[in-house]
Amino acid sequence: GSSVQEGGTAPQAARGAATQPSLKMLFRPNVLVPRFLGSSALSTILMCHTPAVSLLSGHRGAASMTSLANLDVGKLQIKQSTAKKTIPTFDANLPFGKHFSDHMFEVEWNNAEGFAPPRIVPFHKLELDPASPCLHYGVQCFEGMKAYKDSDGKIRLFRPDMNMKRWFASCTRLALPTFDQEQMIGCIKELLKVDANWVPEQDGFSYYLRPTAIATSSTLGVVPPSEALFFVIGCPVGPYFKDGFAPVKILAESKFKRAWPGGTGNAKVGGNYAPGLLPQRLAQEKGYSQVLWLFGEEDYITEVGAMNIMVFWENAQGKKELVTAPLDGTILPGVTRDSILELTRAWGEFDVTERAFTMGEVVKAAEDGRLIEVFGAGTAAIVAPINGIAYQGKELAVPCGKDGKAGDLAARLYHDLCDIQYGRKQFSNWSVRVE
């Protein structure tokens, strides 16, 4: 006869005082679910549990145990493939995420011994126990990063330390084992050396890396995993925009939510992406390329599709400002996002702000003629210009530069970041050579 209790801080608890459904109603899910989803308990549960893991905290997480064997690149074993694949032609027809290279990196972990010796092995399919938590409870996370070849034919990674910090934080958030980040970078570098001929030399092309961690325990149950597998696969990719910038129109989404306070919005976990597939399809059916994720009754702007979003405008105080949502636990700490913020702050030409802002502010700026440009920011595209936003039944026109493809800021950022990624320009040691 006990009732479900609301938790959280006093302001959170004050959001609603509706009577909560009895636990006895668990035997009547057709009654419980509609009532529960309509009650204030749901929002309270979503808001008040599990503090966000900071990207830069260095927290080792509950699954880390110093007495266990750590990841050690010095123990790396390499098994060369005897059946080499045909390397695809590096041209405009090269698809994203399809032609994987000859080898992959993998290392197993268990809670009795820690990390096994890491391996580089021929690319292969995984064999998993049907009870693996990664299949049932979403205990899996991943990264997205790229390698490039410079004018000397040397392979470079772009800010791999940032990717490892975020992967570490994602593992911590899911109670997966954590790892020595420098050792993991060392293993990835060795994989790149083995498959160096798969890294394109042409400008605009790169080698996309997908580090992944999955729980592989063989017992059902919502508990921290006793076994896990870390692996890295990679594939060559071409330019995101094959014929120059192609701005897109997006649909501001108020019904579906990408993330919420206390959730996993700041971690790169599969559970953040699958729920976005339906809203994405619905937006495309209406003629829009991506979803602009809004949050709260005020319609705060959070992200666009699977990218961070940047708005460049003249603010209400008459100053030019680049603004993006703050890392409040609901926003993915994008490496490109951070790079854009650091670069533009180093320029010192306009205000650069991380703060909560609403769709209403963007509408007002457009009506006043203060909106300069809007673009997404992410690993795949670097920057993706936006030329229209559908909101509350109206379509808001967004300026996109003199050629109608990209604003001056988006184009400048794209070229500056490319120059750094390919080693043509140095900035804060972001481009790391694989020696």
Side-chain angles (χ1 to χ4, degrees):
S2 300
S3 61
V4 177
Q5 298 296 316
E6 290 191 315
T9 61
Q12 290 169 334
R15 294 182 184 184
T19 301
Q20 304 308 315
S22 168
L23 288 178
K24 291 180 179 179
M25 293 181 67
L26 289 173
F27 296 101
R28 300 174 62 198
N30 60 317
V31 176
L32 171 63
V33 173
R35 281 190 61 190
F36 188 65
L37 291 181
S39 73
S40 62
L42 178 62
S43 61
T44 303
I45 289 170
L46 296 181
M47 295 284 285
C48 70
H49 290 294
T50 312
V53 177
S54 169
L55 171 67
L56 301 177
S57 67
H59 176 59
R60 291 197 59 82
S64 291
M65 302 180 71
T66 55
S67 60
L68 303 180
N70 293 319
L71 177 64
D72 185 353
V73 67
K75 298 179 180 178
L76 182 68
Q77 303 168 359
I78 300 177
K79 181 181 179 181
Q80 292 282 349
S81 174
T82 58
K84 300 292 185 180
K85 301 179 182 180
T86 300
I87 299 176
T89 303
F90 299 151
D91 60 18
N93 296 316
L94 181 65
F96 181 89
K98 184 175 181 180
H99 297 291
F100 295 99
S101 57
D102 290 315
H103 300 86
M104 62 187 288
F105 166 80
E106 62 184 14
V107 60
E108 296 170 341
W109 174 93
N110 66 61
N111 62 2
E113 299 172 333
F115 283 97
R119 304 184 301 270
I120 291 175
V121 296
F123 188 94
H124 65 93
K125 295 183 179 180
L126 301 181
E127 183 175 313
L128 294 175
D129 192 294
S132 295
C134 63
L135 303 177
H136 298 269
Y137 311 117
V139 189
Q140 58 96 273
C141 58
F142 62 96
E143 267 304 314
M145 55 195 295
K146 287 181 176 179
Y148 310 80
K149 274 188 180 173
D150 60 24
S151 58
D152 296 326
K154 300 293 185 180
I155 299 174
R156 291 177 173 271
L157 285 166
F158 180 69
R159 306 192 72 183
D161 57 319
M162 292 290 288
N163 290 103
M164 292 303 102
K165 287 175 182 176
R166 189 171 64 184
W167 195 16
F168 186 104
S170 297
C171 287
T172 301
R173 181 64 180 83
L174 298 185
L176 280 161
T178 52
F179 52 88
D180 185 296
Q181 296 170 42
E182 287 299 323
Q183 295 295 311
M184 186 65 79
I185 291 174
C187 292
I188 292 173
K189 286 181 176 180
E190 293 303 316
L191 175 63
L192 287 169
K193 292 178 186 178
V194 172
D195 278 348
N197 56 338
W198 284 81
V199 183
E201 295 184 354
Q202 296 95 318
D203 193 47
F205 290 75
S206 57
Y207 181 82
Y208 185 84
L209 289 153
R210 174 52 61 87
T212 307
I214 60 175
T216 57
S217 314
S218 57
T219 304
L220 292 176
V222 186
V223 295
S226 59
E227 298 176 56
L229 174 68
F230 291 74
F231 64 91
V232 182
I233 56 176
C235 58
V237 295
Y240 190 85
F241 300 107
K242 295 177 173 58
D243 299 309
F245 285 112
V248 299
K249 292 183 179 181
I250 60 177
L251 176 64
E253 177 58 64
S254 299
K255 177 183 177 181
F256 297 102
K257 305 302 177 187
R258 175 195 167 271
W260 49 85
T264 57
N266 63 335
K268 203 166 179 66
V269 302
N272 289 346
Y273 294 84
L277 298 178
L278 175 60
Q280 170 76 11
R281 188 183 72 187
L282 296 175
Q284 290 176 341
E285 289 174 354
K286 296 177 181 179
Y288 298 96
S289 297
Q290 293 286 351
V291 171
L292 175 61
W293 301 106
L294 305 179
F295 185 79
E297 295 180 359
E298 303 86 350
D299 283 344
Y300 286 107
I301 291 175
T302 62
E303 297 191 8
V304 57
M307 296 181 288
N308 297 118
I309 187 167
M310 305 273 180
V311 174
F312 189 44
W313 58 15
E314 185 179 292
N315 61 27
Q317 291 72 45
K319 292 184 177 181
K320 283 188 176 181
E321 177 187 44
L322 179 66
V323 62
T324 192
L327 299 181
D328 60 359
T330 67
I331 304 298
L332 187 70
V335 177
T336 306
R337 172 192 182 277
D338 184 81
S339 301
I340 288 173
L341 295 177
E342 284 203 37
L343 270 180
T344 51
R345 283 170 177 153
W347 296 347
E349 299 173 9
F350 45 78
D351 290 346
V352 180
T353 307
E354 299 172 71
R355 70 168 178 85
F357 65 106
T358 66
M359 191 62 210
E361 292 179 69
V362 174
V363 171
K364 185 67 166 62
E367 293 174 345
D368 294 347
R370 296 184 286 107
L371 187 61
I372 303 173
E373 55 186 286
V374 181
F375 53 90
T379 299
I382 303 180
V383 295
I386 294 164
N387 63 0
I389 305 174
Y391 178 63
Q392 294 184 346
K394 298 180 180 180
E395 192 168 289
L396 180 72
V398 179
C400 252
K402 296 177 182 178
D403 62 359
K405 291 186 175 182
D408 291 341
L409 178 58
R412 180 182 175 186
L413 284 166
Y414 176 81
H415 292 300
D416 275 17
L417 285 170
C418 281
D419 284 344
I420 296 169
Q421 289 167 345
Y422 288 94
R424 295 187 290 263
K425 180 186 295 185
Q426 290 298 318
F427 186 88
S428 296
N429 297 316
W430 285 355
S431 181
V432 179
R433 263 196 177 184
V434 176
E435 303 290 357

